[in-house]
Amino acid sequence: MERTWWKECVVYQIYPRSFKDSNGDGIGDLNGITEKLDYLKYLGIDVIWLSPVYESPNDDNGYDISDYQAIMREFGTMEDFDRMLDEAHKRGIRIVMDLVVNHTSDEHKWFIESRKSKDNPYRDYYIWRDPVNGAEPNNWGSCFSGSAWQMDEATGMYYLHMFSRKQPDLNWDNPKVRDEVFDMMTWWLEKGIDGFRMDVISLISKDPSFPDGDPGINGYASFNEPANGPHVHEYLQEMRERVLSKYDTLTVGECSGVTLEEAKKYASSDGKELSMVFQFEHMDVDAEGANKWTDKKMDLRDFKEILTKWQLGLHEIAWNSLYLQNHDQPRCVSRFGDDGQYWAESAKMLATCSHMMQGTPYVYQGEELGMTNVPFKTIEDFRDLDSINAFYELTEKGVYSEEEMLRRIRYKSRDNARSPFQWDSSENAGFSTGEPWMMVNPNYTSINAEEQMGNPESVFHYYKKLIELRKKYPIIVYGNYKLLLPEDKDLYVYERELEGEKLFVAANFSKNTRSLELPDEWKGNPTEILIHNYPDVQLADTLEIRPYEAFVLYMK
Ligand code: GLC
Ligand code: CA
């Protein structure tokens, strides 16, 4: 297997709005990030994935871009960006930008032109269709509720928006659109950035016949309907040829709706498209069909089956990303662990289980502190249009009562991940001296970076150690993977192997104490405990594994 820096690195995702506010307006910004680079250096990460910082009217917090070559005023200036990039590079930290090119903002100059008239030179930059029998051209639903088609009065035609009405989809079949995107990417790469995380890149190529899909609980087909469309691989290969092949980059495609077979093409080790993809099957493990608004706990057996499929399926063919959360998901400790009695144990257990797999790990800001879901009270506490729209749509349609829907969005809303970073126990968690743009989680007085940096047993120091181990043991990056005990509903146990070295990873996803007999070759052999989340692990042929306990054994 070819060895490269982007397989060996650890990526840290920053959601700039909520990371660190440097000027007291309640909104995180670029200078705030620059201020905290030493913190990230100390944690040991190699790469920052920066969620969008481009000019945007903020309908979807920067994922609706009105100018790809300008910085959002709230976040600072291009000079601030250049300084941040420079300071990051000085510390050996690379910067990967979010590339949001499935759609633009409706306030982007291309769309302002496009909607003016049918013969405007920018008309074909977007996807326009005539009404069919006086209605939408098909039943596709927007990711953020309602139809994916919006009637535009000026020309009496619909435009497609797989996300909000203010995020019209670009028409990638138009070669001019590809030219524009590729030029813009080159401009950023020439500036010195180190790669791209590509927003919903699996959706860029639409089937021109626009077929209906299966309707979900709101009556519309899923926003994933266009995933892996007819020309997506061709367009990404063109992007590689014309842009990426000229630079040394990390590229990760956010590929909603991606299957294992498709991922083998997107992230193939022949290097024709992307370095790796984000797949979503383990994020859908607690969904009900296409409905993510559930509040049920996952079945660990499903989780193991999914991750094992990806570990084995991409081995030596493509490359995995490893993640348990991001800015679109609730906090992993609240979702897959226990954010009460076993908060620290379960946060460390989850990290162990994920970081010991084959692939490139992604840490989402605050995950390294075990930040939890937020105790939102009413719908007014939410900021995210996805959660707010879903609340009104599903309660108005009578799918759920208000109380029930509130319970579901409290558990699953992406706003859980977007509350301000908890730096210390001072007012507003040290995030801002002003009023934060969204509520701070009241548990900041006990869960914060300052406290954890001073405490060697903290979740923070555990993440730091996991990152150090990855640098020291190539088996963690490159070893093959083998699942043990697939039917066990509490324990996730797997082995790794590389050139005569072996790892044994055990993680208890439950409150039950369970006994686990080691496989024969681990019994009595000189093994080393690389990391464990309880202070006192005693090796024995049969181990009593305590609630949320996790450890990693190593043998040479
Ligand atoms: C991606 C982003 C998400 C955004 C959506 C539309 O899924 O991660 O935050 O809302 O695309 O750009
Ligand atoms: Ca600010």
Side-chain angles (χ1 to χ4, degrees):
M1 194 185 313
E2 203 197 329
R3 298 192 174 190
T4 64
W5 65 267
W6 49 261
K7 292 180 179 167
E8 294 167 11
C9 70
V10 175
V11 184
Y12 187 91
Q13 182 190 354
I14 292 184
Y15 195 69
R17 212 175 177 74
S18 300
F19 191 59
K20 178 70 175 107
D21 173 20
S22 71
N23 63 352
D25 65 356
I27 296 170
D29 46 51
L30 293 173
N31 289 339
I33 297 172
T34 307
E35 237 176 76
K36 294 297 183 185
L37 287 171
D38 286 330
Y39 167 81
L40 298 176
K41 181 72 192 163
Y42 182 62
L43 176 61
I45 58 99
D46 311 278
V47 178
I48 293 171
W49 148 25
L50 202 57
S51 274
V53 295
Y54 314 95
E55 194 164 292
S56 161
N58 274 317
D59 189 48
D60 185 18
N61 287 353
Y63 282 90
D64 48 318
I65 296 167
S66 51
D67 186 343
Y68 290 103
Q69 277 154 256
I71 297 293
M72 194 191 299
R73 238 162 307 151
E74 290 173 322
F75 288 169
T77 63
M78 197 55 87
E79 288 69 50
D80 296 337
F81 179 88
D82 292 341
R83 190 166 55 247
M84 181 200 67
L85 182 64
D86 196 42
E87 291 295 322
H89 283 167
K90 275 190 203 152
R91 289 166 178 78
I93 296 176
R94 292 174 153 105
I95 303 273
V96 162
M97 301 283 281
D98 222 307
L99 181 77
V100 188
V101 289
N102 172 68
H103 45 268
T104 68
S105 162
D106 66 339
E107 297 181 35
H108 193 288
K109 61 175 190 261
W110 302 336
F111 192 74
I112 294 174
E113 286 300 315
S114 185
R115 77 196 316 179
K116 282 184 181 162
S117 67
K118 291 185 185 174
D119 56 9
N120 188 284
Y122 289 91
R123 185 66 168 180
D124 288 340
Y125 272 46
Y126 295 86
I127 300 172
W128 294 95
R129 284 290 179 281
D130 284 316
V132 175
N133 303 322
E136 289 85 10
N138 70 11
N139 74 349
W140 291 3
S142 146
C143 180
F144 302 146
S145 301
S147 168
W149 296 98
Q150 174 65 32
M151 167 52 68
D152 205 49
E153 294 307 333
T155 54
M157 287 176 80
Y158 286 99
Y159 67 84
L160 182 71
H161 61 90
M162 297 317 298
F163 295 87
S164 94
R165 234 175 292 149
K166 288 183 65 61
Q167 293 168 298
D169 280 49
L170 281 166
N171 174 18
W172 273 71
D173 295 334
N174 180 349
K176 282 196 210 132
V177 166
R178 303 202 296 277
D179 289 347
E180 301 262 18
V181 170
F182 298 159
D183 286 351
M184 176 271 284
M185 291 172 73
T186 302
W187 186 84
W188 280 102
L189 288 163
E190 283 298 316
K191 227 180 203 316
I193 66 150
D194 304 286
F196 294 103
R197 173 269 186 188
M198 302 184 188
D199 193 69
V200 287
I201 203 72
S202 51
L203 302 189
I204 59 173
S205 167
K206 276 83 179 175
D207 179 341
S209 71
F210 291 93
D212 280 337
D214 293 336
I217 51 167
N218 67 353
Y220 295 103
S222 153
F223 77 100
N224 273 334
E225 211 46 46
N228 316 311
H231 302 291
V232 67
H233 296 293
E234 187 185 314
Y235 296 155
L236 288 177
Q237 285 165 24
E238 184 183 343
M239 179 194 283
R240 172 65 58 182
E241 255 168 57
R242 291 178 54 190
V243 183
L244 298 171
S245 59
K246 307 192 171 95
Y247 304 88
D248 181 21
T249 56
L250 179 160
T251 52
V252 51
E254 188 207 21
C255 289
S256 44
V258 71
T259 59
L260 185 65
E261 289 317 304
E262 286 293 329
K264 289 178 187 169
K265 301 183 209 155
Y266 287 116
S268 167
S269 49
D270 68 12
K272 286 200 175 126
E273 297 183 23
L274 306 174
S275 316
M276 63 193 112
V277 300
F278 291 131
Q279 60 85 16
F280 282 88
E281 290 184 344
H282 66 308
M283 289 291 111
D284 297 335
V285 67
D286 49 8
E288 284 160 359
N291 177 20
K292 71 172 175 187
W293 301 111
T294 64
D295 54 1
K296 69 169 197 199
K297 286 278 173 191
M298 66 155 171
D299 183 328
L300 181 67
R301 290 166 295 192
D302 298 336
F303 191 71
K304 292 195 285 192
E305 189 185 324
I306 294 165
L307 291 178
T308 300
K309 179 178 98 180
W310 284 88
Q311 286 288 300
L312 301 178
L314 295 192
H315 183 63
E316 306 226 315
I317 293 175
W319 191 247
N320 271 299
S321 67
L322 306 171
Y323 74 98
L324 294 174
Q325 66 174 88
N326 57 39
H327 67 295
D328 292 328
Q329 302 291 336
R331 290 287 179 180
C332 65
V333 66
S334 301
R335 183 182 189 181
F336 303 129
D338 169 27
D339 60 12
Q341 187 183 356
Y342 296 108
W343 161 73
E345 289 83 356
S346 66
K348 294 173 185 174
M349 180 281 290
L350 289 167
T352 315
C353 186
S354 178
H355 280 239
M356 286 296 140
M357 290 187 194
Q358 189 187 70
T360 300
Y362 287 73
V363 178
Y364 176 71
Q365 68 183 40
E367 179 187 335
E368 78 279 17
L369 307 176
M371 276 178 65
T372 66
N373 275 0
V374 181
F376 297 108
K377 287 197 184 69
T378 67
I379 187 69
E380 278 72 43
D381 289 335
F382 291 88
R383 294 287 173 273
D384 165 36
L385 84 168
D386 180 28
S387 315
I388 297 169
N389 291 355
F391 176 83
Y392 289 110
E393 178 173 62
L394 297 177
T395 54
E396 276 158 21
K397 289 197 167 163
V399 179
Y400 300 119
S401 69
E402 291 197 358
E403 194 192 337
E404 162 122 46
M405 189 58 192
L406 206 52
R407 202 176 69 232
R408 288 169 185 256
I409 59 174
R410 247 186 228 125
Y411 187 59
K412 275 299 193 61
S413 171
R414 350 187 250 183
D415 272 346
N416 283 302
R418 299 178 177 187
S419 70
F421 191 97
Q422 294 165 207
W423 290 105
D424 57 41
S425 58
S426 69
E427 205 184 352
N428 301 325
F431 162 72
S432 174
T433 54
E435 173 75 6
W437 72 280
M438 80 173 282
M439 74 182 269
V440 174
N441 193 323
N443 65 17
Y444 73 91
T445 50
S446 58
I447 302 180
N448 64 66
E450 188 180 59
E451 191 279 325
Q452 294 199 20
M453 287 173 81
N455 169 7
E457 301 303 318
S458 65
V459 178
F460 175 88
H461 279 282
Y462 195 90
Y463 268 84
K464 184 167 159 54
K465 174 131 195 235
L466 283 172
I467 295 169
E468 281 163 9
L469 287 171
R470 173 166 286 263
K471 309 259 133 100
K472 204 166 144 204
Y473 294 89
I475 183 175
I476 298 176
V477 181
Y478 295 110
N480 65 16
Y481 165 102
K482 182 174 152 206
L483 180 71
L484 306 177
L485 309 178
E487 293 306 323
D488 196 294
K489 61 175 189 19
D490 296 335
L491 302 180
Y492 197 146
V493 184
Y494 60 91
E495 285 180 310
R496 306 281 309 278
E497 187 175 7
L498 183 75
E499 295 156 5
E501 294 174 62
K502 278 198 151 201
L503 290 179
F504 181 87
V505 182
N508 187 351
F509 275 70
S510 79
K511 290 191 172 71
N512 307 326
T513 296
R514 293 284 313 273
S515 65
L516 171 70
E517 190 186 340
L518 290 179
D520 284 344
E521 59 175 325
W522 290 92
K523 286 180 186 160
N525 262 326
T527 57
E528 200 183 316
I529 304 175
L530 290 193
I531 192 166
H532 50 85
N533 69 344
Y534 271 75
D536 55 337
V537 175
Q538 299 291 337
L539 280 185
D541 290 353
T542 298
L543 297 157
E544 294 304 310
I545 315 230
R546 291 160 284 189
Y548 297 101
E549 184 163 0
F551 58 83
V552 180
L553 307 180
Y554 172 77
M555 175 163 74
K556 208 174 171 155

